[in-house]
Amino acid sequence: MERHYLLKRLVSLPVIWASIAMVHVSILMLMPGDAIATLASTADPMFQQPFNYSVPSLATVLMQLLQGHLGHSIFLQQPVSQLILSHLRPTLILTLMAFVPLYGLGLVLGWFLQRGHVWAKIIHQLCTAMAALPSCLIYTLVFVLQYQLFREPLSHTYLYGAGFLALRRIAPLANLVSHCLSTTIDAPYIHMARRRGVAPIKIATVYILKNALIPVWVRLPKHFAQVLFAGTLTIEVLFSIPGLGRLTFTALKHYDYPLIMGCLMASCMCLSLCYLTGDVIAQWLSPKMTIGGS
Amino acid sequence: MTLYLRPLLILLFVYGMLPLVCNDLPLLIVHNHQWFCPLMTQYLETDFGGDVPLKMDYQSPEGNILLKEAWVLNAPYPYGLSPDYKTPHHLESPSKSHWLGTNDIGQDILVYALHAAVLSSLTSLILTYLCLWSGSLLGVVAGLYGGSVDITIMWLKELCRSVPFAFLVILIPKHSFGLFMVLFTCTQWTKYAQLCRNKTYELCHQPFMLDASHNKMPLWQRYCQHILPHLSPLCRSQISYTWMNYLAMIESLAYFDIRMYPDLPSLGFLIQQSKMHPQAIWMMTACAIGFGMVGCFALYFSRQKEKDIPVP
């Protein structure tokens, strides 16, 4: 990878984070009327603690960011960075648990989909239908069925949550795998390898899979960040998993602005780092690829 | 254009016809050679020969006595969104009178699910059109003009994408329908903008577009004659998926008590209720029926698109 490009990307990261912080502070400042009074009046009536908070200036936010300090939660009365770190573990476990079946099944399904197997098409259609339904509907369906059949609330919440996360994302991944494989299988070098009598297993693994799946591995970090911060929110709230998504939801529900901003900033930082990792992986897997227009 | 508007018109028609199919008010009353239409006008008891000028309650015993001599035309499914007071207890399981049972306040679930499904699909379809039109307009402008205009619009797109919709909705204190629509469109137009920008860039290098620019054809004419016919099938192919996505998003928000129209039925609220009463499995069935109906309609529409789209 061009060193200049990587350096440019690394230098631009703090600028991106600062602009995101600016947008979030602006939203609070642009809110009609007195923002803090609005937040206090619309907050949960159960929450009657003294509302000792004022809108931070952009300079303050940037200084705090530079120091790695994301503020102090109004509702939970703890430092935001500490709260985020303590809630990160369940979310990471959930995401990793989802990623194993997601990529395992997605790759297998994509392979068979490309080969035109009927059962693969049926499973793909079912997964597409699942992705179109809201998570809350499927969750409630499972919840009600569990109650009707066993008369007990849902257990194994991590397993269910990871399953939900994976099932909703299998269809697009299988599509991508199938598309990548179909474009590589007809490539001239594959025909050449077949004519030269290379073993079919070697063609499938070394020639086809290695080259075809580059877009899949490039998307992996981005996908991971999206699932980690966006996908888990609904699942964690539905299954009562004490992770980062649930923390964000609590912050939003109680109008805990420092915590909302902390969660959003953490997700933005992680997303931008994951995008950068994706680009590095792309260059590493395919050295011919030029990034940054050079 | 007809294909764009067809599902919207069908849904509006169905929403308009729903009170004629399921309603607890009589559709028509002929009393003392006079015609009454309770769906259109609110009548007093005195209009039907009562003594007290109170609002007419057609379900009450007093109302039945007043209408004893009258000819009354009821809806085929005589239950509305108001609770059925004749039901002895709430959360009644499905029966001959209430096909899908009742909820905890005595509302008929079938009527509620029907209204919720039609309303949710209407709202999400309108949101889809708003995002489609605003996004495609900005995308085409970015693709046609290029340069700094393109950079500005793409920067705006990234900015709008970076602000989560739920974050905005929760922070704005009073959820009005109009504000919800505006915020939703502001954060979701980006997909169509990207799609249309890429397609416009691709078209700009086609021979017919190069000819048009050589002949100094006005920009609007280039747009109408060469770009729109190519963009239209592309956008149409995405509508049904976006529609279902937006529906899922709106209902998920409604499930978490962030509702666009708090006083009207919504599928998200029905799902929330069915979770609160897991013993009432008929409520879950109603949710599945509601989503199934919407899904089938979207699927039908997407199939229609494949048949009807002319290849430019």
Side-chain angles (χ1 to χ4, degrees):
Chain A
M1 172 169 288
E2 294 79 7
R3 273 188 197 163
H4 286 294
Y5 174 72
L6 194 61
L7 201 68
K8 209 171 109 183
R9 286 286 301 268
L10 281 171
V11 170
S12 68
L13 280 180
V15 182
I16 295 169
W17 297 342
S19 54
I20 291 164
M22 195 175 77
V23 171
H24 294 158
V25 173
S26 320
I27 289 171
L28 196 61
M29 283 172 172
L30 290 172
M31 203 182 275
D34 183 1
I36 297 305
T38 311
L39 293 184
S41 64
T42 46
D44 197 327
M46 294 294 286
F47 171 51
Q48 294 295 337
Q49 292 170 39
F51 204 80
N52 188 19
Y53 180 68
S54 59
V55 181
S57 66
L58 184 62
T60 320
V61 173
L62 290 179
M63 279 304 291
Q64 281 182 348
L65 270 178
L66 277 175
Q67 292 162 2
H69 178 58
L70 291 169
H72 204 86
S73 162
I74 306 168
F75 182 69
L76 298 168
Q77 295 290 322
Q78 278 182 54
V80 172
S81 42
Q82 195 183 321
L83 278 170
I84 289 173
L85 283 176
S86 61
H87 285 78
L88 192 61
R89 197 169 161 266
T91 311
L92 267 174
I93 292 172
L94 184 68
T95 313
L96 288 172
M97 276 175 77
F99 256 64
V100 176
L102 169 62
Y103 272 77
L105 289 175
L107 291 174
V108 173
L109 192 63
W111 173 269
F112 284 108
L113 207 60
Q114 194 277 324
R115 307 275 296 219
H117 284 252
V118 181
W119 62 267
K121 284 181 185 168
I122 294 169
I123 293 175
H124 182 256
Q125 287 296 321
L126 282 174
C127 291
T128 313
M130 280 281 284
L133 292 173
S135 299
C136 55
L137 176 77
I138 308 167
Y139 162 75
T140 314
L141 188 69
V142 174
F143 182 86
V144 171
L145 282 178
Q146 170 100 3
Y147 180 85
Q148 291 288 334
L149 294 174
F150 306 108
R151 298 279 157 191
E152 58 180 37
L154 275 181
S155 50
H156 311 297
T157 49
Y158 276 88
L159 267 179
Y160 275 117
F164 270 44
L165 275 173
L167 266 180
R168 287 178 69 81
R169 283 161 181 83
I170 280 179
L173 183 69
N175 253 346
L176 180 71
V177 172
S178 161
H179 176 73
C180 293
L181 284 172
S182 60
T183 49
T184 314
I185 277 175
D186 291 330
Y189 63 89
I190 302 291
H191 290 295
M192 185 62 79
R194 280 200 187 115
R195 271 191 224 121
R196 273 169 39 210
V198 180
I201 291 178
K202 195 179 176 186
I203 291 178
T205 51
V206 179
Y207 286 71
I208 298 176
L209 281 180
K210 191 188 164 194
N211 295 302
L213 297 183
I214 290 174
V216 178
W217 304 132
V218 169
R219 279 172 63 108
L220 183 88
K222 182 184 157 192
H223 205 174
F224 183 80
Q226 279 176 352
V227 173
L228 186 69
F229 287 101
T232 52
L233 197 144
T234 322
I235 299 295
E236 281 177 11
V237 176
L238 288 174
F239 289 98
S240 302
I241 295 170
L244 212 55
R246 201 160 166 228
L247 183 73
T248 314
F249 186 76
T250 313
L252 286 167
K253 206 154 189 193
H254 294 284
Y255 299 86
D256 190 343
Y257 194 77
L259 192 53
I260 296 171
M261 208 172 128
C263 292
L264 282 173
M265 282 310 298
S267 68
C268 291
M269 284 175 178
C270 189
L271 258 176
S272 47
L273 282 173
C274 286
Y275 273 63
L276 185 65
T277 318
D279 285 350
V280 174
I281 289 177
Q283 181 68 25
W284 179 56
L285 288 175
S286 176
K288 279 183 189 170
M289 196 179 284
T290 54
I291 303 172
S294 58
Chain B
M1 186 53 80
T2 47
L3 195 63
Y4 274 119
L5 292 180
R6 200 184 295 162
L8 188 70
L9 292 174
I10 292 172
L11 280 173
L12 281 172
F13 175 76
V14 171
Y15 190 60
M17 291 301 285
L18 264 180
L20 298 178
V21 180
C22 39
N23 206 325
D24 50 356
L25 293 175
L27 302 178
L28 205 65
I29 300 171
V30 183
H31 182 257
N32 285 342
H33 306 290
Q34 273 187 308
W35 293 70
F36 297 91
C37 183
L39 273 183
M40 313 284 277
T41 325
Q42 211 174 60
Y43 295 105
L44 298 174
E45 282 188 7
T46 46
D47 294 327
F48 298 99
D51 301 325
V52 196
L54 285 173
K55 198 183 114 186
M56 182 67 181
D57 184 357
Y58 301 95
Q59 306 297 328
S60 65
E62 294 82 11
N64 286 337
I65 291 166
L66 287 174
L67 294 175
K68 204 175 176 184
E69 300 295 315
W71 179 80
V72 180
L73 175 69
N74 281 313
Y77 193 74
Y79 302 103
L81 284 172
S82 48
D84 180 17
Y85 298 113
K86 286 178 195 164
T87 315
H89 47 81
H90 297 149
L91 275 180
E92 194 191 335
S93 55
S95 59
K96 269 186 184 172
S97 52
H98 295 283
W99 294 356
L100 279 178
T102 59
N103 65 8
D104 54 346
I105 56 164
Q107 278 175 319
D108 187 272
I109 294 282
L110 178 64
V111 177
Y112 191 92
L114 274 173
H115 276 87
V118 177
L119 260 175
S120 303
S121 27
L122 246 178
T123 321
S124 47
L125 190 61
I126 291 170
L127 285 172
T128 309
Y129 286 147
L130 283 175
C131 295
L132 166 72
W133 287 329
S134 54
S136 59
L137 185 73
L138 284 165
V140 167
V141 168
L144 267 181
Y145 286 96
S148 55
V149 176
D150 180 28
I151 291 170
T152 314
I153 291 175
M154 286 302 109
W155 176 80
L156 193 70
K157 187 204 88 181
E158 289 301 323
L159 189 75
C160 291
R161 267 181 67 176
S162 71
V163 182
F165 172 64
F167 166 66
L168 279 181
V169 169
I170 291 171
L171 276 187
I172 306 292
K174 285 180 183 170
H175 310 133
S176 71
F177 187 74
L179 192 65
F180 198 101
M181 295 283 237
V182 171
L183 285 177
F184 196 94
T185 314
C186 283
T187 50
Q188 304 292 324
W189 60 274
T190 55
K191 180 189 169 188
Y192 283 106
Q194 184 72 51
L195 205 70
C196 294
R197 172 194 174 261
N198 294 350
K199 189 71 186 173
T200 312
Y201 259 130
E202 191 189 312
L203 288 173
C204 280
H205 294 95
Q206 297 289 324
F208 54 87
M209 279 296 279
L210 294 173
D211 279 351
S213 65
H214 273 302
N215 296 335
K216 292 184 179 164
M217 190 188 266
L219 214 58
W220 64 268
Q221 211 174 342
R222 257 187 269 173
Y223 172 73
C224 294
Q225 277 188 14
H226 297 310
I227 297 175
L228 197 64
H230 286 85
L231 278 186
S232 205
L234 182 74
C235 292
R236 279 180 205 165
S237 66
Q238 297 293 317
I239 286 180
S240 48
Y241 305 112
T242 321
W243 182 10
M244 287 307 287
N245 261 341
Y246 289 174
L247 180 82
M249 204 190 273
I250 291 170
E251 296 316 327
S252 297
L253 283 172
Y255 180 85
F256 293 121
D257 275 337
I258 305 160
R259 294 167 68 183
M260 279 179 88
Y261 31 80
D263 305 325
L264 292 172
S266 85
L267 287 173
F269 184 65
L270 193 60
I271 301 171
Q272 194 193 48
Q273 278 196 322
S274 52
K275 197 211 157 186
M276 278 161 65
H277 306 288
Q279 74 278 19
I281 198 163
W282 54 90
M283 287 170 90
M284 197 59 240
T285 318
C287 294
I289 289 174
F291 272 99
M293 279 193 312
V294 181
C296 289
F297 189 61
L299 198 69
Y300 169 75
F301 177 54
S302 66
R303 287 281 159 88
Q304 284 294 307
K305 147 224 117 186
E306 282 164 15
K307 279 189 230 161
D308 295 1
I309 291 173
V311 179

